[in-house]
Amino acid sequence: MSGPATAPSELHVVGGAPLRGRLRLPGCKGISHRALIFAAIADGRSTVRGLADGADVASTMTVLDGLGVKLRPDGDAVSVRGLGFDGLREPTSVLDCGNSGTTMRMLAGLLAGRDFFAVLVGDESLSARPMRRVLDPIAAMGARVDGRDGGARAPITVRGGSLRGVRHQLATASGQVKTALILAGLQAEGTTEIVEPAPSRDHTERMLAALGVEIDRPSPETVSVARGEPMPFELTVPGDPSSAAFFVVGACITPGSDLVLEAVSLNPARIGYVDVLRRMGAEIDVVVTGEQVGEPVGDISVRAAELHGTDIAGDESIIDELPVLAVAAAFAEGTTTIHSAAELAVKESNRIGTMEQELTQLGIGVETRPDGLVIRGGAPRGASLKSHGDHRIAMAGAIAGLAAEGETTVRGFAATAISYPGFARDLASVLAQ
Ligand code: S3P
């Protein structure tokens, strides 16, 4: 990676060229959002290097700025003058979360404990996504909340205040909702406990523990916190494991590929896709080389291999990678079933429907289910694909084009600016001529 990148509006890929060499990915989006929020509520100056450069993380910065937090670019870093919870001030206008569900949900939890009024808005896609999952539990702690569609969708309003700790039994495992409730719990009287039906990504717990917050994990599904504030910190954000997944699948399915992805977050809750691909026959090595705020960091090496179909049970550790795993399935021999992944339908697009449409364009047999897809692997042929305004569908389409026969075009490719504006440039840098 070097310099700021602009996502092209359309991408053309000619199938057949392998991926070779080494690549350093932009910073992990999930860690970047959290680092900015934790820096804002710490009392003092923090420095974050290698932040994700996409529009989602920029949305978090815009919203924090609206709460009075000073964020200043400092070379390749961002310097944040944290205000502590009590220094945040009532915003004078709406807080625009753009396309970022992570920003809206986490901020709702943060604002629940602030004694002022805030309105959170988003783009069309974000305004269609479910918000009760975060609004109901913060209301149970004492915040006054509302939203469009009877309180279900954005725009949402939060009038925060004194909170009391509550034991939350969540219906859906969600790293975003869990983080929101931890942020509320850090401002509440008594203990806040969050119990999930299955473990979700644990960046928040690892990072806050490394920043001096007492945070208990009585079981993998349960987190418990009391009042507290993180200390200011310095952090270099490791590479994004979900962005890495596109290149990992690309190298698996394109004969002759041999690629190393450097300094990626190897948080076990984020690299479940490596196990799925290995089960499909992939040749992938993962080596931990260091640690950043409680997060293991290291390299992922991958070589092309013949893949075969498998059964994939969706869970939070692979939910964002399912579009590109569906592409791997399209090139695998036999049938792949993705199930227990109903959450796919409420992401940036309805990914069950959008993946079905795009795989069908590639000539692959696909059936949809309410909780997933059945994909009959074969020999995809180049096609004209669409992003549906969804960054991960755009990048999955580009990866399919790498190994499809002939030429593939992905329209609406500018959507990649959400998480990875430099994707097209980085892909070109590892495409062997
Ligand atoms: C995220 C959690 C996941 C994931 C999203 C980022 C996070 O969402 O899909 O891209 O950073 O905690 P859910 O919490 O809705 O599962």
Side-chain angles (χ1 to χ4, degrees):
M1 264 240 313
S2 63
T6 315
S9 59
E10 200 167 279
L11 189 77
H12 302 276
V13 191
V14 179
L19 300 183
R20 300 182 72 86
R22 305 177 76 84
L23 184 62
R24 191 167 280 246
L25 299 153
C28 171
K29 183 160 84 74
I31 295 177
S32 296
H33 285 294
R34 288 164 173 83
L36 291 167
I37 294 170
F38 301 159
I41 59 171
D43 192 1
R45 188 167 297 286
S46 294
T47 306
V48 189
R49 289 196 172 73
L51 273 176
D53 55 351
D56 266 11
V57 169
S59 292
T60 289
M61 293 204 245
T62 305
V63 168
L64 293 174
D65 177 72
L67 295 169
V69 179
K70 296 274 170 279
L71 302 119
R72 190 164 46 80
D74 183 3
D76 68 338
V78 172
S79 161
V80 183
R81 171 78 182 83
L83 303 172
F85 281 115
D86 288 339
L88 299 174
R89 59 146 213 251
E90 182 168 60
T92 51
S93 85
V94 298
L95 300 172
D96 189 353
C97 304
N99 190 245
S100 176
T102 309
T103 307
M104 184 170 284
R105 295 189 178 128
M106 289 185 186
L107 262 293
L110 169 58
L111 294 169
R114 297 298 86 217
D115 188 13
F116 56 64
F117 176 74
V119 184
L120 296 153
V121 301
D123 69 6
E124 198 183 327
S125 151
L126 180 53
S127 301
R129 297 179 66 186
M131 290 299 147
R132 264 195 215 295
R133 55 183 64 191
V134 68
L135 295 182
D136 286 352
I138 59 173
M141 296 175 78
R144 281 190 278 161
V145 300
D146 211 338
R148 193 176 60 80
D149 196 10
R153 275 167 243 285
I156 60 172
T157 61
V158 182
R159 182 177 284 284
S162 307
L163 301 180
R164 56 187 172 275
V166 162
R167 181 179 161 88
H168 300 282
Q169 187 83 49
L170 303 186
T172 310
S174 162
Q176 296 173 353
V177 174
K178 177 175 61 178
T179 302
L181 299 178
I182 291 172
L183 287 167
L186 291 176
Q187 304 170 78
E189 194 63 50
T191 304
T192 298
E193 224 170 39
I194 304 134
V195 188
E196 298 187 280
S200 63
R201 60 183 65 185
D202 61 355
H203 296 305
T204 300
E205 298 90 306
R206 287 172 181 261
M207 292 172 74
L208 286 177
L211 301 177
V213 171
E214 232 177 273
I215 185 152
D216 287 337
R217 303 279 308 265
S219 79
E221 295 85 13
T222 311
V223 181
S224 159
V225 275
R227 208 183 277 286
E229 225 165 65
M231 295 179 302
F233 58 93
E234 289 208 7
L235 160 68
T236 300
V237 179
D240 194 304
S242 299
S243 299
F246 295 100
F247 291 95
V248 171
V249 170
C252 284
I253 63 177
T254 314
S257 293
D258 190 349
L259 187 66
V260 180
L261 302 160
E262 298 174 339
V264 180
S265 161
L266 297 177
N267 183 319
R270 295 295 306 282
I271 56 166
Y273 67 87
V274 169
D275 293 332
V276 173
L277 288 166
R278 281 182 177 148
R279 217 163 61 222
M280 296 174 80
E283 288 184 35
I284 305 174
D285 291 319
V286 173
V287 183
V288 176
T289 53
E291 192 184 295
Q292 280 286 337
V293 285
E295 294 276 335
V297 182
D299 297 344
I300 303 179
S301 312
V302 49
R303 289 161 302 285
E306 299 276 327
L307 301 184
H308 48 80
T310 190
D311 182 274
I312 307 176
D315 64 39
E316 229 246 345
S317 80
I318 53 167
I319 196 78
D320 290 343
E321 293 73 41
L322 287 175
V324 78
L325 287 174
V327 168
F331 287 88
E333 183 167 340
T335 299
T336 295
T337 303
I338 298 173
H339 61 92
S340 313
E343 277 292 299
L344 280 177
V346 291
K347 292 294 178 187
E348 288 84 328
S349 69
N350 171 351
R351 290 180 177 161
I352 296 177
T354 51
M355 281 313 295
E356 182 211 11
Q357 282 183 46
E358 300 318 303
L359 293 177
T360 304
Q361 286 298 312
L362 291 158
I364 290 298
V366 194
E367 271 166 48
T368 60
R369 305 261 170 91
D371 69 339
L373 297 147
V374 179
I375 300 161
R376 276 172 244 301
R381 40 164 210 269
S384 173
L385 304 178
K386 288 191 297 200
S387 71
H388 302 266
D390 183 332
H391 55 130
R392 298 199 201 279
I393 300 296
M395 292 185 276
I399 295 303
L402 288 177
E405 199 181 321
E407 189 174 331
T408 294
T409 301
V410 186
R411 283 178 289 141
F413 208 72
T416 54
I418 290 298
S419 61
Y420 196 166
F423 175 82
R425 179 193 61 191
D426 286 357
L427 180 60
S429 79
V430 291
L431 263 180
Q433 302 306 316

